[in-house]
């Protein structure tokens, strides 16, 4: 009888242990699946190496230098537009704009780093090395110009105001890494390259041109791009005047502004 | 849930052309049934046989443990987001007795767990070489040696990575249909016959005697020479030689494709080797520099104008971009003859494989 009790006890223990193991295994598998889902989702925004490092070591402050081309785009006269249309219409217009611009950027191997109000910061060569990044970024800017023409046609057909953009491009070395606080962190490239692209974008109003590239972008551009040289301009935070060029419409060979 | 099988995948770009006589001869030569995938590339008549021999080499081994070779193949396919190859390798493991649930668990474990330190080192190395962002180097190879792998074993790991990358690129670009292989483990009659299938598969997967290449000085000789002694070296060399002798695409176009893939990956040795071949074929160095800087130029012929911008797209294939690559492949196909197109697929796939493993070799 005692032997039976011991055997029953052992069996109960074994069964409980087995159930526990099964439960733990199932939890582990669920966690692993979720982790992989996250990893796959994040891989669209940061290099796989960075994601793996985050998973293995947690968010770290490691950064590395990369050669990138930064594209900064901004809507012209957005503030006055915001005052003229209903908030729900404004959001719809903005979302349509972001969607089209993002598609043009990713089609040319760039990735949208961040949306800043009505502005877009896109990077070429940040997630993987890209020796053709200047050509890609300029092609993306031209595709954005074309997408805006088509979007404006849609907006005007709905009785809505047309939009205009200014785009600035600069190529240089930036520091890539996870930037932010414990609460909000993103993979970003920081440094002068991004700042100069934003400042060059500001110059588009001054020069009445929609796409401007710096000399550093121009130097690596294919001859198929038609450019118009503009006088060097002083940029806030930059010691020397920066040479800029307007990108003309390659197909027609005339200036687009 | 198995994530690789969730990758969006286009319909197949090619139609298989199975010649029963060639199938019979090849079966006799390689001793196993010929994989159906080979016959999608029959527009270049030399390719099905060359692919069947390479396919056979994937099953065999010279020094390594059979299971490790399987995990290497699965990791490479996962890294390359190749649904077709992953499904094939998964079905084979299930045929050999691994349960589907275990396979699903292992698929996740490739990312988050290791089975042993030695195996972990091999799989991490595999992932690094296959991913190539950044390109693996000799230092990564040294890690493998320090983990306890011999020089021969390390070379064999590299040759299996090369074979995996090659077949992944070929299958993904042409969108070979993965569904039949994905469904295979669920078929009741195959489940019933699994023990017999396992015996058959084990017999098929043999340990081969080392095979010597002999003198080799053709294109990409240093990389091919580094595989000398391994069972997979002769079919790899055979594929490169046949590609080089292609009647459908001139050598200059093929060398340019290799140079573009090498540049995209940042493989200096590979680019230098391919540039030398292009110059040998008559292009002036200054013109070549311009062409490689912009993938365009008046010097390019019709094939090169299509092939060069396309070749760069094959360097990295992330899950979310598979259908984009397949769309671009379809665009290229529309502008080329069928034989030119499959030769281009073979060239980009081989370039990706050789550049990745070549970057881990010591500089000449």
């Amino acid at each position: 009888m005692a032997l039976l009790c011991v055997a029953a006890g052992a069996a109960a223990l074994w069964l409980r242990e087995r159930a526990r193991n099964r439960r733990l295994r199932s939890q582990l598998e669920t966690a692993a699946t979720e982790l992989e889902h996250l990893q796959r989702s994040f891989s669209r925004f940061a290099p796989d190496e960075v994601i793996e490092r985050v998973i293995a070591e947690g968010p770290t402050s490691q950064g590395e230098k990369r050669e990138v081309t930064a594209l900064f785009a901004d809507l012209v006269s957005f503030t006055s537009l915001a005052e003229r249309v209903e908030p729900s219409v404004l959001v719809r217009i903005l979302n349509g704009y972001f969607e089209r611009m993002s598609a043009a950027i990713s089609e040319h191997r760039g990735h949208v780093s961040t949306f800043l109000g009505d502005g877009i910061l896109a990077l070429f060569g940040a997630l993987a090395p890209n020796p053709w990044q200047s050509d890609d970024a300029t092609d993306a800017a031209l595709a954005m110009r074309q997408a805006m023409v088509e979007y404006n046609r849609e907006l005007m057909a709905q009785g809505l105001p047309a939009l205009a953009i200014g785009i600035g491009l600069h190529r240089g070395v930036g520091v890539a890494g996870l930037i932010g606080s414990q609460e909000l962190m993103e993979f970003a490239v920081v440094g002068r390259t991004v700042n100069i692209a934003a400042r060059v974008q500001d110059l588009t109003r001054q020069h009445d041109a929609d796409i401007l590239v710096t000399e550093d972008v121009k130097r690596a551009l294919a001859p198929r791009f038609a450019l118009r040289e503009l006088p060097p301009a002083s940029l806030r935070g930059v010691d020397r005047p920066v040479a800029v060029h307007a990108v003309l419409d390659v197909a027609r060979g005339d200036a687009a502004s | 849930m198995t994530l690789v099988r969730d990758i969006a995948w286009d319909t197949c770009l090619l139609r298989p052309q199975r010649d029963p006589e060639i199938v019979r001869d090849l079966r006799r030569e390689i001793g196993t049934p010929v994989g159906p995938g080979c016959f999608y590339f029959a527009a270049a008549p030399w390719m099905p046989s060359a692919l069947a021999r390479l396919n056979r080499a994937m099953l065999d081994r010279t020094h390594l443990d059979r299971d490790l070779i399987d995990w290497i193949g699965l990791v490479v396919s996962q890294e390359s987001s190749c649904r077709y190859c992953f499904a094939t390798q998964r079905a084979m493991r299930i045929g050999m007795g691994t349960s589907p649930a275990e396979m699903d668990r292992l698929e996740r474990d490739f990312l988050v767990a290791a089975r042993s330190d030695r195996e972990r080192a091999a799989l991490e190395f595999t992932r690094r070489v296959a991913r190539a962002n950044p390109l693996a180097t000799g230092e990564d190879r040294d890690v493998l040696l320090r983990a306890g792998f011999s020089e021969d074993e390390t070379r064999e790991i590299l040759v299996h990575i090369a074979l995996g990358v090659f077949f992944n690129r070929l299958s993904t670009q042409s969108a070979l249909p993965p569904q039949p292989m994905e469904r295979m483990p669920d078929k009741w009659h195959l489940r019933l016959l699994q023990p017999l299938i396992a015996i058959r598969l084990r017999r098929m997967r043999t340990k081969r005697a080392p095979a010597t290449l002999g003198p080799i000085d053709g294109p990409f000789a240093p990389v091919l020479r580094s595989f000398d002694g391994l069972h997979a070296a002769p079919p790899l060399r055979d594929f490169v030689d046949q590609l080089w002798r292609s009647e459908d695409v001139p050598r200059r176009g093929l060398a340019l494709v290799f140079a573009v893939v090498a540049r995209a990956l940042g493989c200096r040795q590979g680019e230098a080797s391919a540039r030398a071949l292009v110059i040998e074929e008559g292009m002036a160095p200054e013109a070549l520099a311009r062409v490689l800087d912009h993938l365009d130029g008046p010097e390019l012929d019709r094939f090169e104008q299509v092939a060069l911008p396309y070749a760069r797209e094959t360097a990295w294939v992330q899950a979310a971009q598979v259908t984009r690559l397949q769309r671009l492949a379809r665009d290229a196909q529309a502008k080329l003859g069928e034989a030119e197109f499959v030769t281009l697929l073979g060239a980009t796939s081989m370039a990706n494989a050789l550049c990745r493993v070549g970057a881990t070799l010591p500089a000449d």
Side-chain angles (χ1 to χ4, degrees):
Chain A
M1 186 64 184
L3 208 64
L4 209 63
C5 281
V6 170
L13 270 175
W14 178 75
L15 281 172
R16 202 176 66 179
E17 201 56 27
R18 203 174 74 149
R20 188 168 155 265
N21 281 345
R22 200 176 289 165
R23 203 170 52 245
L24 283 173
R25 195 178 177 125
S26 153
Q27 282 171 355
L28 190 67
E29 281 180 11
T30 310
T33 309
E34 283 171 6
L35 186 62
E36 189 164 342
H37 269 305
L38 276 173
Q39 190 162 9
R40 296 275 171 187
S41 308
F42 281 135
S43 69
R44 296 169 62 193
F45 307 103
D48 291 346
E49 301 285 331
V50 175
I51 299 156
E52 273 163 26
R53 214 182 295 148
V54 171
I55 288 167
E57 303 163 17
T60 59
S61 52
Q62 284 181 358
E64 57 182 277
K65 286 185 174 178
R66 287 194 186 185
E67 184 169 23
V68 296
T69 298
L71 179 156
F72 198 92
D74 205 26
L75 280 176
V76 178
S77 311
F78 175 70
T79 315
S80 73
L81 173 77
E83 286 162 2
R84 277 185 288 148
V85 298
E86 289 293 315
S88 61
V89 177
L90 184 71
V91 169
R92 186 158 56 85
I93 292 174
L94 266 183
N95 287 345
Y97 156 73
F98 284 136
E99 202 171 295
R100 284 161 180 81
M101 298 303 113
S102 302
I105 289 161
S106 55
E107 184 58 27
H108 292 92
R109 304 159 204 91
H111 89 277
V112 174
S113 173
T114 189
F115 295 119
L116 300 152
D118 59 309
I120 300 171
L121 170 62
L123 298 166
F124 296 78
L127 297 184
N130 178 355
W132 302 285
Q133 54 182 269
S134 291
D135 287 348
D136 284 345
T138 311
D139 274 329
L142 288 168
M144 290 165 78
R145 175 194 280 168
Q146 183 56 36
M148 279 301 283
V149 170
E150 284 156 23
Y151 189 40
N152 279 336
R153 217 172 282 142
E154 283 178 42
L155 291 174
M156 286 191 290
Q158 296 168 48
L160 293 167
L163 304 174
I165 44 168
I167 302 172
L169 281 89
H170 180 59
R171 179 171 178 159
V173 175
V175 174
L178 289 167
I179 315 281
S181 66
Q182 286 295 328
E183 288 77 29
L184 183 62
M185 196 164 261
E186 63 179 8
F187 175 78
V189 173
V190 291
R192 279 165 64 93
T193 304
V194 172
N195 294 343
I196 291 176
R199 305 267 184 269
V200 168
Q201 183 280 136
D202 288 338
L203 292 176
T204 55
R205 279 76 159 168
Q206 193 179 313
H207 290 297
D208 197 25
D210 60 348
I211 305 171
L212 292 181
V213 300
T214 61
E215 187 66 28
D216 290 303
V217 174
K218 189 219 163 200
R219 209 173 293 131
L221 271 187
R224 67 188 159 92
F225 294 105
L227 306 175
R228 175 164 51 97
E229 191 171 356
L230 298 168
S234 297
L235 301 180
R236 189 154 50 90
V238 180
D239 303 337
R240 272 179 284 177
V242 173
V244 288
H245 305 262
V247 180
L248 309 181
D249 191 314
V250 175
R252 294 198 311 270
D254 58 350
S257 55
Chain B
M1 187 158 125
T2 311
L3 288 157
V4 176
R5 79 169 70 131
D6 290 338
I7 293 171
W9 198 263
D10 207 340
T11 51
C12 190
L13 277 70
L14 304 170
R15 267 184 310 121
Q17 298 164 42
R18 214 174 155 87
D19 181 334
E21 203 175 318
I22 295 176
V23 175
R24 207 174 38 245
D25 290 349
L26 268 175
R27 187 178 177 141
R28 202 173 302 135
E29 180 195 324
I30 64 176
T32 49
V34 183
C38 303
F39 294 97
Y40 283 88
F41 302 90
W46 60 274
M47 224 191 261
S49 320
L51 290 175
R53 290 183 197 111
L54 279 175
N55 218 341
R56 170 74 227 196
M58 280 193 89
L59 296 174
D60 295 331
R61 64 209 158 98
T62 312
H63 307 285
L64 289 175
D65 167 63
R66 189 182 53 214
D67 284 343
L68 181 58
I69 291 173
D70 285 347
W71 308 139
I72 287 171
L74 284 158
V75 168
V76 176
S77 299
Q78 193 176 43
E79 277 303 319
S80 309
S81 308
C82 182
R83 244 178 91 172
Y84 179 83
C85 294
F86 193 87
T88 306
Q89 287 157 327
R90 182 177 181 274
M92 186 168 283
R93 282 302 307 184
I94 291 170
M96 288 180 71
T98 311
S99 73
E102 180 70 357
M103 278 309 300
D104 291 349
R105 193 183 71 78
L106 284 169
E107 184 180 346
R108 291 191 287 267
D109 276 2
F110 295 145
L111 288 168
V112 297
R115 291 149 48 95
S116 72
D117 285 349
R118 194 169 180 268
E119 206 166 289
R120 184 190 176 91
L123 296 182
E124 280 185 349
F125 176 74
T126 299
R127 188 157 65 173
R128 208 164 158 71
V129 177
R131 181 176 298 169
N133 185 14
L135 208 58
T137 63
E139 283 174 30
D140 296 296
R141 189 188 167 114
D142 292 344
V143 172
L144 214 53
L145 294 168
R146 283 200 297 276
F149 286 97
S150 69
E151 186 60 49
D152 283 341
E153 286 172 326
T154 303
R155 290 188 312 119
E156 191 167 353
I157 289 172
L158 277 165
V159 92
H160 277 282
I161 296 172
L163 290 172
V165 169
F166 170 76
F167 277 110
N168 290 166
R169 288 293 182 288
L170 201 62
S171 312
T172 304
Q173 292 179 73
S174 50
L176 293 191
Q179 296 84 1
M181 280 295 173
E182 285 171 351
R183 285 194 290 260
M184 195 176 278
D186 300 328
K187 292 192 170 157
W188 68 268
H189 62 284
L190 293 178
R191 283 211 302 264
L192 204 67
L193 292 171
Q194 186 274 319
L196 294 174
I197 293 171
I199 294 168
R200 177 88 182 104
L201 285 174
R202 282 200 187 91
R203 279 201 194 133
M204 270 167 58
R205 313 188 64 192
T206 48
K207 190 161 181 166
R208 296 272 169 182
T212 47
L213 280 177
I216 175 165
D217 55 2
F220 314 101
V223 187
L224 294 170
R225 211 180 290 130
S226 77
F227 296 140
D228 197 12
L230 299 171
H231 70 279
L236 257 176
R237 181 195 179 167
D238 175 57
F239 187 93
V240 174
D241 285 350
Q242 298 223 51
L243 184 67
W244 208 239
R245 287 198 299 265
S246 164
E247 288 175 4
D248 303 302
V249 176
R251 286 181 180 186
R252 192 182 84 169
L254 293 170
L256 279 168
V257 166
F258 269 78
V260 168
V261 172
R263 173 149 320 178
L265 289 166
C267 177
R268 287 188 190 156
Q269 283 164 277
E271 188 183 327
S273 166
R275 285 173 85 120
L277 293 169
V278 179
I279 291 166
E280 228 171 74
E281 293 300 317
M283 187 180 271
E286 308 75 42
L288 173 60
R290 274 198 313 275
V291 162
L292 290 180
D293 282 348
H294 303 297
L295 307 178
D296 198 6
E299 301 84 357
L300 299 182
D301 65 22
R302 181 188 52 86
F303 171 82
E304 292 162 351
Q305 278 171 7
V306 177
L308 269 48
Y310 172 73
R312 68 171 292 201
E313 307 289 347
T314 64
W316 293 286
V317 187
Q318 289 202 327
Q321 293 157 355
V322 166
T323 49
R324 178 179 181 274
L325 174 65
Q326 290 166 343
R327 171 168 54 80
L328 294 172
R330 207 177 283 280
D331 293 346
Q333 184 183 26
K335 294 173 190 157
L336 298 173
E338 205 63 2
E340 283 179 314
F341 178 63
V342 296
T343 307
L344 171 63
L345 300 188
T348 54
S349 304
M350 190 50 79
N352 271 285
L354 295 185
C355 285
R356 276 170 165 81
V357 299
T360 68
L361 300 177
D364 284 339

